[in-house]
Amino acid sequence: MSYYFAIIGTSDNPIFEYEFGTAKAGGDGVPRFPEQARHMNQFIVNASLDNVEDVQWGGGQMYLKKIDRYYNNYISAFITGSNTKFLLLHHPTTPSTTSTRASTSIPANPTSPQTEEAIKQFFVEVYENWLKTVMNPFYTQGMRIDSPVFRGRVAAAGRKYL
Amino acid sequence: MASSQPIKSPMGSQSQNQRSSQQGLKYPSNGKTIYHRPLNRSRTQELSQASFAYLFGEMVSYAQKRVTGIQDLEKRLNNQGHPIGLKLLDLLLYREPARSQTRPLHIIALLQFITTTLWRHLFSRPADALEKSSNPDTPEEYMISDNEPLVNQYISVPKEMNQLNCAAYVAGIVEGCCDGAGFPAKVTAHSVGKGEEGELWPGKTVFLVKFQDEVVEREAFLGR
């Protein structure tokens, strides 16, 4: 039930990253990556950039859905008109606890259509806020986003949908 | 101007009292950041052309101060427009209706986006023509023509600089848009009016869009 979200610029440089846990089904919004795997998130997400480049010319949609999987990590992508990539790593908790409620909930079920839709809504909301950052005349392409307001907005979108 | 209301400057008086509470970040006095403002703009909101012409004239003379030649000046104007193209690409795609909110995948789709959506946003009318180079040796060249570029309306170019076309600024915007969408290109502005008496469009400008070879290569690959 943990998520790692990253925005990757046009020269494959990270612009923004944020880690959070689910707030659905009684989650407390705290990411619970296994300590020995947590540092791998950045690698996994960056490795999936190749897959983004494979599919980005196949269709004009911005939301590319699930594009990669690495063991129990699922990566969804969103690409903007100016080739900035939003990547979300979705790490469900161990699937052994399969109560009926958990099996349909978004955090526990990374491949269901509901999850796909929820991630899309999350991306669309982040996209809007990202665009507002970009429209700032003092922002040039590829700059890191440091704004705490933006971080707060991403966190709010994560709580709302995931 | 002196009699008008004090302008809300981002570094104004509120910065002192804010600095103590929030380190490094200054909020505007009304607490609204750019994230609180909507991205959609009503259609009727337009800027005064006089103020734009004034500002643009200043931009040209600013660029002119530090250049060695006309090409250099055009390059500077181009560079001023480039980031605008990058930003407008994303903004205008966002404002498209949800169904047609797609990234341009082909040269034609991109150029149509530029000549209609982008042109309409900037000049409230579409560009006058979009043509492909008829020369078989240069399949990567496209031409966008504008009979009367808005930016040139109040610019009079001296005789000794007749090579100059200040629409290089618009060329920069187009170039930014192409680069951003993943179609790296060089865009240049050329005056095609012959300066004859009684000409219909003496200020007609052609924007020559020259895509890089890899774009044409990808286009051929995707077309299959």
Side-chain angles (χ1 to χ4, degrees):
Chain A
M1 295 201 189
S2 307
Y3 299 93
Y4 170 76
F5 173 68
I7 300 182
I8 310 287
T10 43
S11 40
D12 292 352
N13 53 324
I15 287 176
F16 176 85
E17 47 180 2
Y18 181 64
E19 238 178 36
F20 61 102
T22 185
K24 293 261 187 276
D28 53 3
V30 177
R32 290 202 174 70
F33 288 108
E35 205 39 58
Q36 68 273 28
R38 184 163 166 261
H39 66 280
M40 294 290 288
N41 289 348
Q42 293 175 333
F43 287 107
I44 299 168
V45 161
N46 272 285
S48 70
L49 282 173
D50 285 343
N51 292 29
V52 175
E53 275 161 27
D54 279 349
V55 291
Q56 79 173 99
W57 296 106
Q61 293 308 314
M62 293 194 186
Y63 180 41
L64 304 173
K65 301 185 181 170
K66 197 196 96 191
I67 50 145
D68 200 6
R69 188 189 159 180
Y70 183 78
Y71 292 102
N72 203 15
N73 300 295
Y74 298 81
I75 292 126
S76 306
F78 184 97
I79 181 164
T80 72
S82 62
N83 269 312
T84 302
K85 290 116 184 161
F86 299 173
L87 296 166
L88 182 79
L89 184 145
H90 184 154
H91 180 88
T93 35
T94 43
S96 57
T97 55
T98 44
S99 73
T100 47
R101 187 151 157 260
S103 62
T104 55
S105 75
I106 289 161
N109 214 340
T111 47
S112 72
Q114 289 94 319
T115 311
E116 211 165 71
E117 189 56 32
I119 292 177
K120 180 181 183 181
Q121 284 171 314
F122 169 77
F123 275 146
V124 166
E125 190 149 328
V126 172
Y127 175 50
E128 192 181 325
N129 286 298
W130 169 82
L131 194 51
K132 288 175 179 173
T133 310
V134 169
M135 291 314 289
N136 181 346
F138 298 108
Y139 183 88
T140 46
Q141 195 182 44
M143 254 165 78
R144 252 177 40 205
I145 303 177
D146 292 325
S147 164
V149 183
F150 180 78
R151 188 166 286 270
R153 290 284 174 117
V154 174
R159 269 199 306 279
K160 199 160 142 196
Y161 298 113
L162 299 172
Chain B
M1 278 308 279
S3 62
S4 65
Q5 286 186 341
I7 297 159
K8 276 180 228 145
S9 108
M11 305 294 184
S13 55
Q14 74 268 28
S15 61
Q16 281 122 19
N17 47 27
Q18 288 279 342
R19 196 174 290 148
S20 49
S21 57
Q22 271 285 338
Q23 275 186 343
L25 184 78
K26 296 177 194 79
Y27 285 99
S29 52
N30 60 0
K32 287 215 157 101
T33 64
I34 48 169
Y35 298 104
H36 295 88
R37 295 170 57 179
L39 280 168
N40 284 312
R41 195 185 67 160
S42 63
R43 193 169 291 245
T44 52
Q45 246 179 337
E46 288 183 350
L47 291 175
S48 137
Q49 195 185 346
S51 56
F52 172 75
Y54 179 70
L55 187 64
F56 185 66
E58 282 302 310
M59 281 166 62
V60 174
S61 43
Y62 175 81
Q64 202 180 355
K65 270 180 198 147
R66 295 160 177 78
V67 293
T68 50
I70 288 168
Q71 279 204 323
D72 202 12
L73 174 56
E74 288 196 336
K75 189 160 185 290
R76 270 172 190 271
L77 285 172
N78 190 298
N79 286 347
Q80 287 182 345
H82 195 273
I84 299 176
L86 277 175
K87 290 175 183 207
L88 280 182
L89 171 70
D90 271 314
L91 180 71
L92 296 177
L93 278 177
Y94 172 84
R95 284 185 184 166
E96 290 281 293
R99 214 175 302 117
S100 57
Q101 207 180 42
T102 53
R103 296 172 293 115
L105 293 181
H106 297 279
I107 289 176
I108 293 300
L110 174 74
L111 289 175
Q112 263 167 0
F113 172 80
I114 288 171
T115 51
T116 55
T117 316
L118 178 74
W119 234 259
R120 236 184 225 123
H121 174 79
L122 293 173
F123 313 121
S124 47
R125 62 178 170 82
D128 293 299
L130 167 64
E131 295 156 89
K132 189 181 192 308
S133 165
S134 54
N135 185 348
D137 296 335
T138 54
E140 76 280 17
E141 289 186 357
Y142 291 79
M143 285 163 291
I144 301 169
S145 359
D146 194 315
N147 289 340
E148 215 178 2
L150 181 121
V151 290
N152 282 358
Q153 193 155 3
Y154 298 106
I155 304 274
S156 38
V157 179
K159 270 240 152 57
E160 67 270 20
M161 293 174 76
N162 62 356
Q163 288 295 305
L164 175 70
N165 190 333
C166 292
Y169 178 65
V170 181
I173 298 179
V174 174
E175 189 175 317
C177 209
C178 293
D179 284 356
F183 295 81
K186 280 267 158 282
V187 185
T188 44
H190 303 276
S191 314
V192 290
K194 293 182 188 68
E196 287 163 4
E197 201 67 28
E199 210 175 9
L200 185 55
W201 302 112
K204 183 169 176 177
T205 296
V206 167
F207 298 96
L208 182 68
V209 187
K210 199 170 157 66
F211 289 105
Q212 286 183 8
D213 295 339
E214 73 235 36
V215 177
V216 183
E217 212 173 288
R218 184 182 64 212
E219 188 85 353
F221 181 75
L222 286 176
R224 251 180 267 143

